[in-house]
Amino acid sequence: MASQAALAGEIEVEAFRRLYPLQFYERHLNDNVRPDARPLGRARATSLALGTVPTADGSAMAKIGHTTMLAGVKLEVMTPAAEALDEGRIAVDFQMPPICSPDVRPGRPVDAAAVISEQLSNVLASSGVINLKELSISKGQAAWMAYLDIYCLDADGALFDAALLAAIGAFAHLRFPAVSMTEEGKVIPLSGDTVLEDGNKEQPKVQEQRQQLTLGKVPFSLTCMLYKKHILADPTAEEESVFQTTITVVLDPSGRLVSFYKPGGSALASTSTIQDCVALTKYRVKELQKILDEALSEMESV
């Protein structure tokens, strides 16, 4: 009887949650706690694994709660632009396949995907985390085009935060392929000794270049949900659907503001609210930097 009563109580609570989500959340927020038992300012458990895609030149999988992102970087040789003869380029593509959420329908573009792609491009460029000169192979002749593809495998809120972490992890894992260059300036990928038409093995001149990127100050982000006087760090998809007003703050480890996004919602962000979000982000940056350092140490020990 006790178990039946408990089950009936759970069903009643779940029904109330679905029918009156705002009232359900307000009951928890009044006690400064969330339905998943997190304090309002705490992010979900986060993990980062490097080298998750063997066929990519750099890859990573980031998880924040259930939100999961898989990022891969593929390098291709390009001719440098006339205005940047000693620089390569980065192209970002963020995708949300139907597997990531029941709200995503096959064959229908997701507006959020294009927005996040643009935000990621802006953050990578404005933060200076990647020096495009390190993507140069030979000034004026050849450089690397880095295609960053990020796939959302589970969209359970704070998508930008997880996508940025996965992107940083993929570039941290990136290793440049070995190449040689002919006298005509043609770049040839190397995979062991190059065999000539007469069957002799050529010992080509290997182009001097870095084996991996030297990352600058790494940007990390935290998305906060606003509702009345409450600030909810790292919202779930359910929380985003209930409250709708978000702020995303991007900082580097020195505390420099890289980007600030407030995409919409009816709630106004006061100066004190923004300051509180920045303070939460500073604490989050320390957590994420530690997670990245641990992932790099684990990779180097293998």
Side-chain angles (χ1 to χ4, degrees), residues 42-104:
R42 180 177 298 172
R44 292 168 290 177
T46 303
S47 64
L48 178 66
L50 306 184
T52 51
V53 184
T55 56
D57 296 303
S59 62
M61 178 179 288
K63 295 189 69 174
I64 301 179
H66 292 298
T67 299
T68 306
M69 300 288 172
L70 181 64
V73 178
K74 196 67 178 176
L75 297 174
E76 291 185 6
V77 177
M78 57 167 272
T79 300
E83 65 273 12
L85 295 176
D86 59 346
E87 294 183 357
R89 291 181 58 194
I90 298 172
V92 179
D93 185 29
F94 177 79
Q95 298 185 32
M96 295 182 66
I99 190 176
C100 76
S101 170
D103 295 330
V104 178

Side-chain angles (χ1 to χ4, degrees), residues 106-125:
R108 297 182 181 180
V110 182
D111 292 340
V115 172
I116 292 176
S117 291
E118 184 177 0
Q119 289 177 344
L120 288 169
S121 297
N122 292 339
V123 167
L124 292 175

Side-chain angles (χ1 to χ4, degrees), residues 105 110 284:
R105 298 288 183 265
V110 182
R284 180 62 170 162

Side-chain angles (χ1 to χ4, degrees), residues 60-208:
M61 178 179 288
K63 295 189 69 174
I64 301 179
H66 292 298
T67 299
T68 306
M69 300 288 172
L70 181 64
V73 178
K74 196 67 178 176
L75 297 174
E76 291 185 6
V77 177
M78 57 167 272
T79 300
E83 65 273 12
L85 295 176
D86 59 346
E87 294 183 357
R89 291 181 58 194
I90 298 172
V92 179
D93 185 29
F94 177 79
Q95 298 185 32
M96 295 182 66
I99 190 176
C100 76
S101 170
D103 295 330
V104 178
R105 298 288 183 265
R108 297 182 181 180
V110 182
D111 292 340
V115 172
I116 292 176
S117 291
E118 184 177 0
Q119 289 177 344
L120 288 169
S121 297
N122 292 339
V123 167
L124 292 175
S126 61
S127 66
V129 62
I130 297 171
N131 183 356
L132 295 181
K133 295 183 184 299
E134 292 199 8
L135 296 178
S136 176
I137 300 174
S138 179
K139 184 176 180 179
Q141 293 183 305
W144 291 113
M145 179 74 184
Y147 292 96
L148 171 64
D149 293 305
I150 303 176
Y151 296 88
C152 179
L153 304 182
D154 193 332
D156 189 25
L159 303 187
F160 177 82
D161 300 343
L164 179 58
L165 180 59
I168 293 300
F171 279 115
H173 175 256
L174 179 66
R175 296 296 182 267
F176 292 109
V179 296
S180 67
M181 180 170 288
T182 65
E183 294 181 356
E184 295 79 17
K186 181 180 179 180
V187 175
I188 303 175
L190 296 181
S191 56
D193 294 332
T194 302
V195 180
L196 300 177
E197 291 182 358
D198 59 8
N200 294 324
K201 288 185 177 181
E202 177 189 13
Q203 298 296 333
K205 179 182 178 182
V206 178
Q207 181 69 17
E208 293 291 336

